[in-house]
């Protein structure tokens, strides 16, 4: 099998207008670098995206297409793209031309200085304020909680060594936390400023729900970045604390009983009892969450409508 230097993975939802120009610009920037493949993951588009991608594939066999039957979200699209990627380096990029393919050589240079993941930093950003402000807060908190001090966690433009993408669990909305997750796994993460453009065609796929989601994401960061891989550490500690107080109360009452103080009619008995039972429940909730986290991490069930250009590949996902 030929050696592929770079795989570009591009998740897309209804981006028919930009695909051809995007392909052209990526091609220009990758051809001098070496063998490459471009994996477009059509995340359930309802416009002509798939048709345009089929045309690109017939024009350039290095273009490969995975098309979902329905919209599963950007994380799912990235995750499936990652499982198919065979390049030594894997680059991700949004499909809307906001990320600039001319940055590819810079990303590669930085990676080769000894990093496993290099993330783009939209230093000068061309997005509405309603988007950039929540994003600043998001980045600040994620940086604080994860201990990885970079400016821009959620830039679509990133480069990874292959082993990183094969290992990262990308599900739910995890694409926003990839640098933090890689950092947790001990990978070396860096950031370089990249050109960012305003969206030319269509509209953002994350819409006004971004505001609510922005807040929820904040909670998610606080919880996920710290505890996603070890929910028992959170629930377990809370559960044990509650049980400890319950136990202390009941022990105190028991001691009183030996002194001849009747327990049954004392309100605090109920508190002790409640704390003990509730604590045990929180603890077992943590155990279940822990088991689910494990199961979730290697479960993939995305229904694909079509695969183009993967003939002869033996990939299970
Ligand atoms: N996208 C996707 N599935 C989704 C939402 C978005 O594949 O459910 C793609 C989208 O087509 C684009 C990238 O993810 O290529 C980033 O989305 P968008 O440009 O809408 O986000 P923004 O730039 O507004 O943050
Ligand atoms: Mg965009």
């Amino acid at each position: 099998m030929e050696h592929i230097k770079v795989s570009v993975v591009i998740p897309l939802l209804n981006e028919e207008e930009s695909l051809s120009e995007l392909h052209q610009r990526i091609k220009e920037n990758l051809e001098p670098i070496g063998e490459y493949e471009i994996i477009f993951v059509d995340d359930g588009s309802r416009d002509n995206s798939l048709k345009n991608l089929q045309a690109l594939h017939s024009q350039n066999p290095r273009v490969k297409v995975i098309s979902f039957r329905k919209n599963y979200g950007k994380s799912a699209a990235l995750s499936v793209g990652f499982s198919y990627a065979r390049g030594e380096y894997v680059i991700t990029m949004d499909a809307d031309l906001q990320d600039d393919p001319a940055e590819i050589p810079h990303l590669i240079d930085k990676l080769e200085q000894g990093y496993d993941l290099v993330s783009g930093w939209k230093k000068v950003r061309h997005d509405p304020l309603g988007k950039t402000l929540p994003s600043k807060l998001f980045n600040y908190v994620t940086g604080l909680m994860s201990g990885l001090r970079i400016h821009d966690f959620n830039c679509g433009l990133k480069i990874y060594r292959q082993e990183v993408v094969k290992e990262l669990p990308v599900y739910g909305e995890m694409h926003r936390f990839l640098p933090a997750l890689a950092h947790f796994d001990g990978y070396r993460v860096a950031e370089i400023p990249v050109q960012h453009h305003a969206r030319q065609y269509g509209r953002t796929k994350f819409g006004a729900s971004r505001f609510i989601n922005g807040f929820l994401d904040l909670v998610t960061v606080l919880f996920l970045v710290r505890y996603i891989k070890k929910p028992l550490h959170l629930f377990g500690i809370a559960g044990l604390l509650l049980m400890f107080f319950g136990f202390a109360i009941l022990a105190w009452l028991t001691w009183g009983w030996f002194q001849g103080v009747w327990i049954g009619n004392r309100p605090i008995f109920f508190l002790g009892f409640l704390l003990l039972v509730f604590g045990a429940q929180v603890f077992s909730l943590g155990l279940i969450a822990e088991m689910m986290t494990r199961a979730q991490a290697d479960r993939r069930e995305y229904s694909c409508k079509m695969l183009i250009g993967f003939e002869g590949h033996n990939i299970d996902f």
Side-chain angles (χ1 to χ4, degrees), residues 8 14 33 47 61 64 68 100 104 120 126 192 213 224 317:
V8 184
N14 302 331
I33 291 171
D47 63 357
K64 299 168 184 185
F68 287 170
D100 197 329
I104 290 176
H126 299 277
I192 58 168
N213 290 344
L224 285 193
F317 85 99

Side-chain angles (χ1 to χ4, degrees), residues 116-266:
D116 301 307
L117 190 174
V118 178
S119 183
W121 168 21
K122 295 164 290 198
K123 196 167 177 178
V124 181
R125 218 176 142 169
H126 299 277
D127 275 324
L129 200 69
K131 206 157 129 185
T132 49
L133 271 184
S135 160
K136 272 218 164 79
L137 183 66
F138 172 85
N139 282 310
Y140 177 75
V141 175
T142 311
L144 199 69
M145 296 306 290
S146 64
L148 176 67
R149 290 316 192 110
I150 61 176
H151 299 84
D152 193 354
F153 282 84
N154 196 17
C155 182
L157 185 58
K158 290 188 170 63
I159 185 169
Y160 308 77
R161 287 182 197 276
Q162 192 191 75
E163 61 263 33
V164 185
V165 303
K166 298 293 181 192
E167 213 164 273
L168 285 182
V170 204
Y171 52 87
E173 296 277 281
M174 295 302 266
H175 65 269
R176 297 198 172 89
F177 308 107
L178 292 177
L181 292 174
H183 172 70
F184 279 136
D185 280 343
Y187 291 112
R188 292 154 300 174
V189 179
E191 177 179 66
I192 58 168
V194 292
Q195 282 279 344
H196 184 243
H197 304 286
R199 195 181 244 282
Q200 294 183 38
Y201 310 100
R203 49 197 296 267
T204 175
K205 302 302 174 316
F206 292 100
S209 58
R210 192 184 292 271
F211 291 109
I212 308 162
N213 290 344
F215 171 74
L216 292 178
D217 282 343
L218 204 66
V219 180
T220 315
V221 182
L222 297 178
F223 180 74
L224 285 193
V225 168
R226 280 240 159 137
Y227 297 107
I228 186 63
K229 289 199 169 164
K230 39 184 169 50
L232 193 57
H233 288 203
L234 182 68
F235 290 107
I237 288 170
L240 284 176
L241 267 175
L242 291 168
M243 283 200 285
F244 171 79
F245 285 116
F247 181 80
I249 291 172
L250 292 184
W252 175 65
L253 286 176
T254 307
W255 179 78
W257 187 77
F258 281 112
Q259 312 294 310
V261 185
W262 176 236
I263 296 179
N265 56 357
R266 301 184 66 186

Side-chain angles (χ1 to χ4, degrees), residues 94 96 98 199:
D94 288 352
D96 54 5
Q98 288 199 268
R199 195 181 244 282

